[in-house]
C-alpha cells in the first residue's frame, strides 16, 4: 500500500534509483522509509523526522519517553522585534534505548535546512547524549538543539530566556 510511504518527491527519486540498481545492477538495497526528513514550507517552516509525540506515546508508552523542548527566538527576529516564543523545537527520546531520538521537530525560519542537517544523525541512531556533546554554531537556530535541557515531564517553562 503506497499510503504507508511518505508521498515526497525525494522519496520517490531514492526508491526509483534503488529499484533500478536492484533490477539492473545486482544490488539488494531497498529504500528505507523510516526517519525521512520532511518540511512544510509555510511562512513559518515546520520540519520533522521520525515520530510525532502522539505516535511515540502510542508506540512506546509515555513512561518510556523523555521529551525535551523549548521555544526560541531567532537572531534575525531580535532587531525587528518579531515576537518571542513563536518558534519551537523538541526531541522525543526513547528512555529504554539510551535516549535514542525517535522524534525531531522544529518550527521556525529555515526549518528545512535544520531538519536536513540533522537527518543523517537521526538516521544513524543519534541519542540525546550526541546532541548534548555536539558543539553548536552560535548564533544559529539549530544550536538550540545542542542546548535542550527542559523536559515536558519536569513541568518547567520552556519559554525562551535569551542566549
Amino acid at each position: 500500500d503506497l499510503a504507508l510511504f511518505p508521498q515526497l518527491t525525494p522519496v520517490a527519486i531514492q526508491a526509483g534509483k534503488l529499484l533500478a540498481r536492484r533490477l539492473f545492477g545486482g544490488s539488494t538495497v531497498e529504500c528505507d522509509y523510516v526517519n525521512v526528513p520532511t518540511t512544510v514550507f509555510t511562512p513559518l517552516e515546520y520540519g520533522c523526522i521520525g515520530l510525532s509525540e502522539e505516535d511515540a506515546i502510542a508506540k512506546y508508552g509515555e513512561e518510556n519517553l523523555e521529551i525535551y523542548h523549548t521555544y526560541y527566538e531567532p537572531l534575525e527576529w531580535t532587531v525587528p522585534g518579531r515576537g518571542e516564543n513563536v518558534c519551537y523545537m523538541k526531541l522525543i527520546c526513547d528512555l529504554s534505548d539510551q535516549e535514542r531520538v525517535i522524534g525531531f521537530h522544529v518550527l521556525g525560519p529555515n526549518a528545512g535546512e535544520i531538519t536536513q542537517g540533522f537527518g543523517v544523525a537521526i538516521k544513524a541512531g543519534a541519542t540525546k547524549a550526541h546532541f548534548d556533546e555536539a558543539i553548536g554554531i552560535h548564533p544559529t537556530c539549530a544550536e538550540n538543539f545542542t542546548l535542550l535541557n527542559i523536559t515536558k515531564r519536569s513541568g518547567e517553562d520552556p519559554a525562551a530566556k535569551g542566549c
Side-chain angles (χ1 to χ4, degrees):
D1 184 3
L2 291 176
L4 299 175
F5 305 113
Q7 303 295 304
L8 303 166
T9 300
V11 173
I13 292 169
Q14 178 73 352
K17 284 193 315 190
L18 294 174
L19 175 61
R21 290 177 187 160
R22 285 194 311 279
L23 292 174
F24 304 109
S27 176
T28 59
V29 178
E30 294 186 16
C31 192
D32 183 0
Y33 298 99
V34 177
N35 293 328
V36 174
T38 305
T39 299
V40 179
F41 292 103
T42 50
L44 190 60
E45 292 180 18
Y46 169 69
C48 65
I49 306 167
L51 298 175
S52 68
E53 187 172 338
E54 296 77 13
D55 288 347
I57 290 170
K59 184 173 182 174
Y60 294 94
E62 192 168 6
E63 69 281 0
N64 296 313
L65 301 174
E66 197 68 82
I67 300 167
Y68 297 87
H69 67 141
T70 191
Y71 290 93
Y72 67 97
E73 183 179 9
L75 178 66
E76 62 267 30
W77 285 20
T78 55
V79 173
R82 287 203 173 160
E84 296 178 3
N85 300 314
V86 174
C87 301
Y88 181 75
M89 60 180 50
K90 74 177 164 182
L91 292 177
I92 303 166
C93 302
D94 177 3
L95 287 171
S96 69
D97 190 10
Q98 300 178 7
E99 285 196 298
R100 184 174 50 88
V101 178
I102 58 172
F104 173 100
H105 301 269
V106 59
L107 180 68
N110 306 309
E113 298 291 338
I114 295 168
T115 303
Q116 183 66 71
F118 283 107
V120 172
I122 303 299
K123 195 72 147 171
T127 65
K128 177 62 167 75
H130 291 124
F131 279 79
D132 293 342
E133 293 164 6
I135 297 172
I137 300 170
H138 185 73
T140 64
C141 296
E143 175 189 28
N144 290 291
F145 276 107
T146 69
L147 304 172
L148 284 174
N149 61 7
I150 296 173
T151 65
K152 284 196 167 184
R153 187 186 320 266
S154 74
E156 290 180 52
D157 182 6
K161 297 173 178 62
C163 58

